[in-house]
Amino acid sequence: MTGARRSAARGILPGLMLVAVATGIAWLAHLALPQVSPLTFGLLLGIVLGNTGLARDSFRPGLQVAARRLLRLGIVVLGLRLSLPQVADLGLPMLIVVVATVVIAFGGTLVLARAFGLSRDAGLLLATGFSICGASAVAAMNGVTRSKESDVVTAISLVTLFGSAAILMLPALQVPLGLDDHHFGLWTGASVHDVAQTVAAASVAGPVALSAAIVVKLTRVVLLAPMVAIAAVVERRRSTSGDGATDSARVARPALLPLFVAGFLLAVLVRSSGLLPPSVLGVAQTVETTLLTAAMVGLGTSVRLRTLIRTAGRSALVGLLSWILIAGVALIGVHLAG
């Protein structure tokens, strides 16, 4: 290792140590309160660190590594949750419902964001998070949009807030809406944002609902890859359009298929092969959650609460309407699919 590399490694070490401690605390908090995802606790701890002065400038390099590189590694490992045969078992009608729900929620959120005057990137991050898989999807989309940190954190905060609210709201609506456990699970999987939030909401109704919810939810997660790939293509075209882009901007164009998205797809194929034993998949799920929790800590340290409170009003309204939209569309779809 050269002197420059040793110096860089020493530079990121303090921040990574801080992230490791916060991630451990987040896991302990999750064990004490299983209804709340470690990712949520990680984000909250990061916000506390960033707003109390504990995340000093010397920690910044390591925090950025957590927020970017560890996040992408976590998304790659997330692919091991998905099995293509499980997706196929849903049947064509439910697959159509899942795809239609994602597309309508994504497009509808973009329209809402534009109507309320949000920036293009802010709307795109909200649309991805609410329509696919919460904080992981927001962060994955940011891998190709290079959005402002404030937009990223606002989107993650809102999908976390409304996804957590769904844990309480959806089970309370099961009986009034006349849903049996199976259909409640389908609705939960098609409408709740984060995987952990989906599990928490569906488990209230029992194992039948939980099984249906997980399969539908993970099918939505599969759509993360094409969504990010399409966004990458659009970003490349924008960077070479007649908007004054320079040659240096063209050099920085996003890849057509970001490496971490390719890794995610490869992980899906590995899981679908059936070669990995359950014990390995269990470890992989823990590793994935730990990596994403560490990333949330890193992202949370960039949040400035005063700025967030001052600027997030319109975003929160868009998030609320998007939450209602995806829940409504998913409910209609579940009834139509039978």
Side-chain angles (χ1 to χ4, degrees), residues 102-149:
V102 168
V103 171
I104 293 172
F106 184 85
T109 304
L110 287 179
V111 171
L112 288 168
R114 185 176 303 172
F116 282 91
L118 299 186
S119 69
R120 176 182 174 278
D121 281 359
L124 184 59
L125 294 173
L126 284 170
T128 308
F130 276 85
S131 64
I132 300 182
C133 58
S136 303
V138 172
M141 185 59 75
N142 183 51
V144 298
T145 61
R146 301 182 180 92
S147 307
K148 294 188 297 184
E149 284 190 347

Side-chain angles (χ1 to χ4, degrees), residues 204-293:
V204 175
V208 172
L210 181 58
S211 177
I214 290 175
V215 175
V216 173
K217 177 63 203 175
L218 294 181
T219 302
R220 282 171 63 197
V221 175
V222 173
L223 298 177
L224 175 64
M227 191 75 76
V228 172
I230 291 170
V233 172
V234 173
E235 288 297 312
R236 284 173 64 90
R237 289 180 177 176
R238 288 183 72 242
S239 69
T240 55
S241 63
D243 58 1
T246 64
D247 290 339
S248 61
R250 292 188 179 96
V251 171
R253 290 180 298 175
L256 282 174
L257 185 66
L259 186 59
F260 71 94
V261 176
F264 171 87
L265 292 173
L266 179 60
V268 172
L269 293 177
V270 170
R271 170 63 190 273
S272 301
S273 70
L275 297 175
L276 297 180
S279 58
V280 172
L281 295 175
V283 171
Q285 184 170 332
T286 301
V287 170
E288 166 228 317
T289 303
T290 301
L291 288 170
L292 294 178
T293 299

